[in-house]
C-alpha cells in the first residue's frame, strides 16, 4: 500500500461499510474523520454544524484531514460527505492519498438515509424532500467529487467487489490531474501492457481509433496491438510518417479521414501512441472530431512522458512558427510505460531529460537535486533511476497545470527555455536540433539573459550548465546561430506588444515571471 486511501462521496454511499472491510483486507487502520472531529471537540458533528455554521465547520474538518494524512502512513480514511467541497482539503487529499469517490443515485441515498437519524444529517434535512435535496447537493458537488483517482458506484458493486477494485487501484498507484469533471489518471509503469488495456476499458468506448507513426509501429506496434487485442474493438488504425515536419494540418486531416471513414461516434476514443508529434496531432484531431471526442495519451518517448502528454495542449505547427494552431483538450488517461523507451535512440532519450531538468530548475528543488545525483544513470536510460524521476516530473507539472490549465498565469513557467528553443528548432528546419536539445540551449540562453538583468544568481546558471552537460545535453550554440534564429522569436505565440512573460529562475526550484521586451532579450542572447 503506497499511500493512504481516502473514501469520499455523499452520505449513504457506503463509506462506513466499505472502509472497514478495505482496511481489514489491507491490514491497516480505518479512520473516520467525523469520529475524529467529535473526539477532539467533545461534541457531535450535527451540533458543531449548527453552532459554527458550515463554513467554520469545513475549516475545522480540513484541519483534521490534514492532521490525519500528513504522516503518509498507510490507512483507510472515510471523509464526511462535504469535506472535498473545500478546494484546499480536496487538493491536500489528492496530493497525499489515493482518493476514491463512492456514488449512488439520489433515490438510493434517500432510501438508505431513512434508516439513519435524519437529525444527524443536517444537510439532507433541508427543505423536507430528501430526494430533491440529495439531487441538489450532488449537482453542486459534482465537480469536487470528480477529482478522484477512482469513482465507484455502490449500487452496481457490492462491498467485496468495491474492495477488490480499490485494492487494484492501490497496486497501480496512479497520479491524478485534478480538473473537476475533466480529471484524469496517469499511470507510470515499467513493462505492464495491462495498464493500457485497462485505461481503454475504463472509457467503455464504442470504437477505438489508434494513431501512431511508422517508427512506433515498427518498434512497439506488436506490444501495443497486444494490449488492445483483448478489447476486440472496431475502429481504425492510422500510421503517420515520423518527425516534427509531420506536425501539420495534413496529418490531422489524415486522422479525421480515417476516423470518419470508420463511422465513429461521440463515444469513440482515440489512442495516441507516440512522441509529442503524434500526441499533439491526435489530441487536436480528437478535440475537433464531432466537436470533441475522448483520447488517451500513450507517450513512447521520455520527452512526451514528462511534458507533452500531460496538460491538454494539442495542435500543430505552421510555417510561421511552432505550435501556432491548437486547442486545450485534456486526455481521458495517460499511460507512460518505460518499456517503450528501450527502443529509443540514445540521443532522443537524453533529449527528454531536458524537459525534466527544466521543470526541476523552475519548480522542484528536490527533483533538481535528484537529477544531479543520478545524472549518469539517467543518461544511460537506467529504469531504476528513470521511474521515480518520470513520476516526480509529471507530478511537478500536475501541480502547475491544475491551477492554471490554460496558461493564464503560472503555467507559463513551464515555457522556460522554449522561447529561444523554439526559435532554434524552427531555424534549423526541425532537423538540426531535437526539441529537448533546443530547450536545453534555450534554457541556458534565457538564464544568461536573466543573470544579466539581475534576476538570476550567476552560480545557478553554472549549476544548470553542469547538469545539462552531465545528462549528455548540448550546452553551447554559436552566437551566429542564435542571431540567425531570432526572427522566429517574433512569431512566438507568447509575445504581446513586443514583449513577453519570461520565466526567471530565481533560486533552485524557484521561479517567477517577468515582463521583458524582445529587444532587451535579444541584446543579451545574441551577444558574444
Amino acid at each position: 500500500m503506497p499511500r493512504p486511501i481516502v473514501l469520499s462521496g455523499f452520505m449513504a454511499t457506503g463509506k462506513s461499510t466499505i472502509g472497514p472491510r478495505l482496511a481489514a483486507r489491507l491490514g491497516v487502520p480505518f479512520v473516520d474523520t467525523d469520529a475524529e472531529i467529535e473526539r477532539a471537540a467533545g461534541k457531535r458533528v450535527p451540533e458543531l454544524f449548527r453552532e459554527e455554521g458550515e463554513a467554520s465547520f469545513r475549516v475545522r474538518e480540513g484541519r483534521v484531514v490534514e492532521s490525519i494524512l500528513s504522516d503518509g502512513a498507510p490507512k483507510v480514511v472515510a471523509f464526511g460527505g462535504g469535506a472535498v467541497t473545500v478546494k484546499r482539503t480536496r487538493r491536500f487529499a489528492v496530493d497525499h492519498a489515493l482518493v476514491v469517490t463512492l456514488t449512488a443515485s439520489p433515490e438510493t441515498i434517500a432510501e438508505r438515509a431513512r434508516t439513519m437519524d435524519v437529525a444527524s444529517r443536517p444537510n439532507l434535512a433541508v427543505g423536507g424532500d430528501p430526494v430533491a435535496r440529495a439531487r441538489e447537493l450532488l449537482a453542486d458537488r459534482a465537480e469536487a467529487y470528480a477529482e478522484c483517482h477512482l469513482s465507484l458506484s455502490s449500487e452496481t458493486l457490492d462491498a467485496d467487489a468495491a474492495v477488490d477494485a480499490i485494492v487494484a487501484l492501490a497496486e497501480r498507484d496512479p497520479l491524478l490531474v485534478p480538473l473537476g469533471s475533466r480529471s484524469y489518471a496517469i499511470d507510470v509503469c515499467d513493462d505492464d501492457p495491462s495498464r493500457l488495456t485497462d485505461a481503454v476499458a475504463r472509457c467503455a468506448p464504442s470504437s477505438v481509433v489508434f494513431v501512431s507513426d511508422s517508427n512506433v509501429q515498427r518498434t512497439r506496434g506488436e506490444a501495443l496491438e497486444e494490449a488492445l487485442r483483448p478489447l476486440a474493438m472496431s475502429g481504425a488504425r492510422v500510421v503517420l510518417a515520423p518527425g516534427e515536419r509531420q506536425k501539420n494540418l495534413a496529418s490531422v486531416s489524415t486522422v479525421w479521414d480515417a476516423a470518419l471513414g470508420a463511422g465513429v461516434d461521440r463515444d469513440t476514443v482515440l489512442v495516441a501512441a507516440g512522441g509529442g508529434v503524434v500526441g499533439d496531432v491526435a489530441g487536436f484531431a480528437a478535440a475537433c472530431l464531432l466537436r470533441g471526442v475522448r483520447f488517451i495519451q500513450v507517450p513512447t518517448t521520455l520527452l512526451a512522458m514528462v511534458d507533452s502528454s500531460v496538460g491538454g495542449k494539442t495542435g500543430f505547427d505552421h510555417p510561421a512558427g511552432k505550435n501556432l494552431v491548437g486547442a486545450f483538450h485534456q486526455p481521458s488517461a495517460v499511460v507512460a510505460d518505460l518499456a517503450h523507451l528501450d527502443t529509443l535512440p540514445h540521443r532522443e532519450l537524453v533529449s527528454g531529460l531536458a524537459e525534466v531538468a527544466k521543470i526541476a530548475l523552475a519548480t522542484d528543488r528536490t527533483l533538481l537535486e535528484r537529477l544531479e545525483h543520478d545524472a549518469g544513470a539517467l543518461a544511460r536510460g537506467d529504469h531504476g533511476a528513470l521511474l521515480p524521476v518520470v513520476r516526480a516530473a509529471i507530478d511537478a507539472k500536475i501541480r502547475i497545470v491544475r491551477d492554471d490549465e490554460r496558461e493564464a498565469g503560472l503555467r507559463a513557467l513551464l515555457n522556460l527555455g522554449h522561447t529561444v528553443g523554439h526559435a532554434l528548432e524552427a531555424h534549423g528546419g526541425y532537423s538540426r536540433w531535437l526539441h529537448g536539445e533546443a530547450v536545453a540551449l534555450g534554457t541556458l540562453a534565457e538564464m544568461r539573459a536573466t543573470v544579466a538583468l539581475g534576476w538570476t544568481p550567476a552560480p545557478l546558471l553554472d549549476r544548470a550548465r553542469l547538469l545539462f552537460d552531465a545528462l549528455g545535453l548540448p550546452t553551447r550554440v554559436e552566437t551566429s546561430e542564435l542571431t540567425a534564429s531570432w526572427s522566429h522569436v517574433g512569431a512566438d505565440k507568447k509575445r504581446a506588444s513586443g514583449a513577453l512573460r519570461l520565466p526567471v529562475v530565481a533560486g533552485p526550484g524557484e521561479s517567477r515571471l517577468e515582463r521583458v521586451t524582445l529587444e532587451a532579450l535579444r541584446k543579451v542572447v545574441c551577444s558574444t
Side-chain angles (χ1 to χ4, degrees):
M1 186 174 174
R3 46 183 165 154
I5 295 173
V6 164
L7 300 184
S8 178
F10 202 74
M11 67 182 75
T13 52
K15 291 171 291 184
S16 60
T17 300
I18 293 170
R21 294 193 189 193
L22 176 62
R25 171 85 166 267
L26 295 170
V28 300
F30 172 69
V31 182
D32 185 292
T33 57
D34 280 354
E36 291 301 304
I37 290 169
E38 291 178 344
R39 183 184 61 79
K43 295 181 179 181
R44 297 289 308 281
V45 165
E47 186 179 357
L48 292 169
F49 210 89
R50 287 192 301 270
E51 290 178 355
E52 299 177 350
E54 182 169 2
S56 295
F57 175 79
R58 296 300 176 206
V59 172
R60 175 192 291 272
E61 185 177 45
R63 288 197 298 265
V64 169
V65 165
E66 292 184 20
S67 174
I68 291 171
L69 295 178
S70 289
D71 63 3
K75 57 177 75 80
V76 175
V77 183
F79 275 12
V84 296
T85 60
V86 177
K87 183 176 180 180
R88 175 186 170 114
T89 302
R90 183 170 72 249
R91 294 291 167 82
F92 191 91
V94 166
D95 286 345
H96 292 80
L98 290 169
V99 178
V100 178
T101 297
L102 300 178
T103 66
S105 69
E107 292 77 13
T108 297
I109 288 169
E111 179 62 28
R112 290 174 178 173
R114 287 177 59 192
T115 64
M116 303 173 181
D117 177 12
V118 176
S120 71
R121 311 286 169 170
N123 256 331
L124 195 61
V126 175
D129 184 345
V131 173
R133 181 58 175 163
R135 185 176 292 114
E136 176 188 357
L137 288 172
L138 285 169
D140 288 345
R141 298 174 180 180
E143 292 291 302
Y145 284 151
E147 291 191 355
C148 64
H149 296 83
L150 180 67
S151 180
L152 292 174
S153 169
S154 61
E155 292 181 292
T156 58
L157 292 176
D158 62 27
D160 290 334
V163 168
D164 289 343
I166 298 168
V167 170
L169 173 73
E171 291 171 350
R172 284 173 49 217
D173 192 24
L175 298 169
L176 180 73
V177 182
L179 295 170
S181 58
R182 289 167 294 101
S183 301
Y184 54 96
I186 300 177
D187 279 82
V188 183
C189 59
D190 190 2
D191 198 15
D192 188 353
S194 68
R195 300 293 185 97
L196 175 56
T197 309
D198 293 345
V200 178
R202 284 192 294 273
C203 291
S206 58
S207 62
V208 171
V209 176
F210 180 75
V211 184
S212 63
D213 66 29
S214 57
N215 284 344
V216 172
Q217 199 63 27
R218 184 183 71 256
T219 59
R220 296 295 297 170
E222 184 176 343
L224 291 163
E225 292 288 351
E226 185 66 26
L228 295 175
R229 192 169 292 121
L231 302 168
M233 299 298 302
S234 63
R237 298 292 185 270
V238 180
V239 181
L240 302 173
E244 183 74 27
R245 291 182 178 181
Q246 307 307 315
K247 193 175 174 181
N248 53 42
L249 182 57
S251 294
V252 176
S253 293
T254 298
V255 178
W256 286 334
D257 291 345
L260 294 172
V264 300
D265 59 30
R266 287 187 174 178
D267 289 326
T268 291
V269 168
L270 269 68
V271 175
V277 172
V278 169
D280 280 9
V281 165
F284 183 78
C288 300
L289 184 64
L290 303 180
R291 294 194 175 93
V293 300
R294 295 167 297 168
F295 81 112
I296 293 173
Q297 289 272 23
V298 186
T300 60
T301 67
L302 180 58
L303 190 147
M305 288 180 184
V306 301
D307 187 52
S308 62
S309 67
V310 180
K313 283 187 178 181
T314 71
F316 54 92
D317 300 337
H318 185 275
K322 187 177 171 73
N323 295 330
L324 294 183
V325 184
F328 287 94
H329 187 54
Q330 299 293 344
S332 295
V334 179
V335 181
D337 191 331
L338 267 60
H340 299 311
L341 303 182
D342 290 339
T343 64
L344 284 183
H346 182 259
R347 184 184 174 196
E348 286 194 27
L349 176 72
V350 169
S351 173
L353 292 171
E355 290 286 2
V356 182
K358 170 211 75 177
I359 198 166
L361 282 163
T363 71
D364 195 324
R365 180 173 188 158
T366 300
L367 178 57
L368 176 62
E369 292 169 351
R370 184 165 202 156
L371 288 175
E372 291 170 327
H373 183 270
D374 294 340
L378 293 167
R380 292 192 302 272
D382 179 271
H383 284 212
L386 280 170
L387 191 63
V389 162
V390 169
R391 187 179 174 93
I394 293 173
D395 203 23
K397 183 167 185 179
I398 288 172
R399 291 195 296 272
I400 297 291
V401 169
R402 70 183 186 185
D403 293 324
D404 184 18
E405 181 182 1
R406 293 179 173 267
E407 204 173 301
L410 289 180
R411 186 168 178 177
L413 294 174
L414 301 179
N415 291 324
L416 176 65
H418 284 61
T419 295
V420 173
H422 281 171
L424 288 168
E425 278 187 276
H427 176 67
Y430 301 107
S431 60
R432 171 162 168 70
W433 301 109
L434 295 178
H435 175 70
E437 294 170 340
V439 166
L441 294 169
T443 298
L444 294 176
E446 292 172 21
M447 288 182 69
R448 183 159 60 90
T450 56
V451 168
L453 291 166
W455 294 332
T456 297
L460 196 52
L461 172 60
D462 296 332
R463 185 173 175 179
R465 186 180 293 110
L466 287 172
L467 174 59
F468 286 134
D469 185 61
L471 293 172
L473 289 157
T475 58
R476 292 183 58 83
V477 60
E478 295 296 328
T479 303
S480 58
E481 186 174 350
L482 288 167
T483 301
S485 69
W486 196 256
S487 61
H488 294 281
V489 173
D492 193 295
K493 63 183 180 299
K494 301 182 289 296
R495 78 201 186 289
S497 302
L500 53 78
R501 294 178 302 160
L502 188 69
V504 173
V505 183
E510 300 175 9
S511 58
R512 65 178 188 272
L513 296 169
E514 292 283 357
R515 188 177 185 277
V516 61
T517 65
L518 295 181
E519 180 58 21
L521 187 62
R522 183 195 65 79
K523 285 182 179 180
V524 180
V525 169
C526 298
S527 65
T528 54

